[in-house]
């Protein structure tokens, strides 16, 4: 195994793990399971797993450790580049940064008990599909730069800030009317073509669909009364400085060519379109 972090925090072939956990800046009292495979701390009446200490790349996470129920994962597999598949047990309600940087992760099974996925799968480049449980409320930063192609968020999801930013393969997204924070939610999803926004959403935050160059139209419900900076239909003007288009200079902004907003006459969507100079189609 190789280190994930540039400062050499991370996992190595020794089967050991480091003892720095981002969530606990002032340190935390940790314990090790009887089999030595899991480092954990107590979280109320349950257990939060902080680190997997083994080398298996296809895993079923235990539902109990040393007689206590597992309720949370935090930094558990952070930087475990070789991890391929994992089953998270019923009873886990929170997954935070648990799979951050698991670049080879392809298959994940989540329990219906999960409600929070903040930063959970950030930079899991090979993750192309996932079923998001109905209980999930927070997916902020959860899937940035993953390989997801389609995403359907369940009704009840609230925070999706930055959730899918940089997902270059994402083509379809369904957003329920319960979503409240869309800041940068789909920024730089350059292959995103179809988005369904359900009635009930009141705000489309800053850069929510910024630089979505393949998104040519968006129907916006009348419930939306607020638009953030460059929320919809705006892209960067880039001057590329390398043949592979990895390096570039930003020369300004423009409307995505051919982009149009669909909505009700007199709505905030029409007002936003007029201010930005975007074509508006009345429905």
């Amino acid at each position: 195994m190789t280190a994930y972090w540039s400062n050499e925090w991370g996992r190595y072939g020794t089967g050991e793990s480091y003892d720095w956990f981002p969530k606990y800046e002032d340190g935390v009292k940790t314990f090790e399971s009887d089999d030595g495979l899991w480092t954990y701390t107590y979280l109320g009446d349950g257990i939060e797993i902080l680190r997997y200490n083994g080398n298996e790349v296809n895993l079923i996470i235990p539902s109990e450790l040393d007689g206590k129920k597992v309720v949370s994962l935090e930094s558990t597999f952070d930087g475990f580049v070789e991890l391929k598949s994992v089953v998270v047990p019923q009873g886990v309600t929170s997954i935070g940064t648990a799979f951050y940087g698991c670049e080879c992760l392809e298959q994940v099974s989540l329990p219906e008990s999960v409600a929070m996925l903040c930063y959970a799968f950030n930079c899991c480049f090979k993750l192309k599909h996932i079923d998001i449980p109905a209980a999930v409320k927070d997916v902020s930063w959860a899937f940035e730069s993953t390989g997801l192609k389609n995403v359907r968020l369940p009704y009840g999801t609230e925070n999706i800030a930055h959730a899918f930013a940089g997902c270059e393969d994402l083509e379809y997204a369904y957003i329920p009317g319960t979503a409240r924070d869309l800041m940068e939610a789909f920024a730089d999803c350059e292959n995103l073509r179809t988005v369904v926004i359900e009635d009930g959403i009141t705000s489309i935050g800053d850069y929510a669909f910024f630089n979505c160059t393949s998104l040519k139209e968006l129907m916006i419900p009348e419930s939306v009364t607020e638009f953030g900076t460059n929320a919809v239909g705006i892209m960067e003007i880039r001057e590329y400085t390398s043949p592979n288009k990895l390096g570039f200079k930003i020369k300004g902004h423009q409307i995505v060519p051919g982009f149009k907003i669909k909505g009700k006459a007199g709505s905030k969507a029409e007002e936003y379109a007029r201010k930005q100079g975007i074509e508006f189609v009345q429905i």
Side-chain angles (χ1 to χ4, degrees):
M1 299 179 185
T2 56
Y4 179 71
W5 297 101
S6 59
N7 60 4
E8 296 188 347
W9 285 335
R11 302 179 55 85
Y12 298 87
T14 60
E16 299 177 352
S17 62
Y18 59 89
D19 294 321
W20 183 81
F21 306 108
K23 181 178 176 181
Y24 299 98
E25 295 181 1
D26 297 326
V28 58
K29 188 174 183 179
T30 62
F31 305 85
E32 194 171 280
S33 60
D34 292 339
D35 58 13
L37 290 177
W38 309 94
T39 298
Y40 65 88
T41 189
Y42 287 102
L43 196 65
D45 294 330
I47 278 177
E48 181 173 71
I49 301 180
L50 300 175
R51 182 63 57 193
Y52 170 64
N53 301 316
N55 295 293
E56 294 295 328
V57 297
N58 298 291
L59 279 166
I60 298 177
I61 299 173
S63 59
E64 292 188 1
L65 285 177
D66 302 339
K68 295 286 186 179
K69 288 185 178 181
V70 175
V71 298
S72 177
L73 307 177
E74 180 71 34
S75 306
T76 314
F77 303 97
D78 188 339
F80 188 178
V81 175
E82 292 84 0
L83 184 66
K84 291 183 178 180
S85 69
V86 66
V87 176
V88 180
Q90 183 66 25
V92 171
T93 60
S94 175
I95 300 176
T97 72
F99 301 96
Y100 196 116
C102 293
E103 298 178 10
C104 293
L105 183 64
E106 297 177 351
Q107 296 183 350
V108 177
S109 176
L110 296 175
E112 289 302 316
S113 54
V114 168
M116 199 281 284
L117 293 172
C118 184
Y119 283 95
F121 299 98
N122 203 297
C123 294
C124 293
F125 304 131
K126 291 189 177 181
L127 185 62
K128 297 184 180 300
H129 173 79
I130 192 167
D131 292 321
I132 302 175
V136 167
K137 301 292 185 185
D138 186 347
V139 295
S140 58
W141 298 82
F143 301 101
E144 180 182 11
S145 299
T146 59
L148 294 177
K149 292 187 176 183
N150 299 282
V151 62
R152 186 179 182 89
L153 293 165
Y155 187 84
T157 306
E158 297 174 356
N159 190 349
I160 65 172
H162 215 96
F164 305 96
C167 289
E168 296 180 355
D169 296 327
L170 189 64
E171 297 178 356
Y172 171 88
Y174 173 90
I175 307 171
T178 54
R180 291 293 175 263
D181 190 346
L182 276 69
M183 183 188 70
E184 299 180 359
F186 297 92
D188 291 307
C189 293
E190 296 185 359
N191 283 302
L192 183 62
R193 290 173 171 80
T194 304
V195 175
V196 176
I197 301 177
E198 284 295 298
D199 187 54
I201 290 179
T202 59
S203 175
I204 298 180
D206 294 348
Y207 301 93
F209 297 95
F210 180 70
N211 220 55
C212 293
T213 53
S214 296
L215 186 63
K216 299 303 182 182
E217 66 175 41
L218 189 62
M219 188 166 70
I220 298 177
E222 201 170 4
S223 59
V224 175
T225 58
E226 183 180 2
F227 289 83
T229 302
N230 293 331
V232 176
I234 307 298
M235 63 178 287
E236 289 176 340
I237 302 172
R238 295 175 175 178
E239 180 183 298
Y240 289 97
T241 57
S242 62
N244 56 12
K245 293 188 175 183
L246 291 178
F248 59 86
K249 296 178 181 178
I250 300 173
K251 308 294 287 186
H253 301 107
Q254 67 176 48
I255 298 169
V256 174
F259 181 78
K260 62 186 70 173
I261 288 176
K262 293 183 176 181
K264 292 289 183 69
S267 64
K268 288 294 183 179
E270 182 178 19
E271 181 182 318
Y272 172 84
R274 185 174 64 251
K275 288 181 178 179
Q276 297 292 335
I278 295 172
E279 181 182 353
F280 181 78
V281 178
Q282 181 180 339
I283 58 172

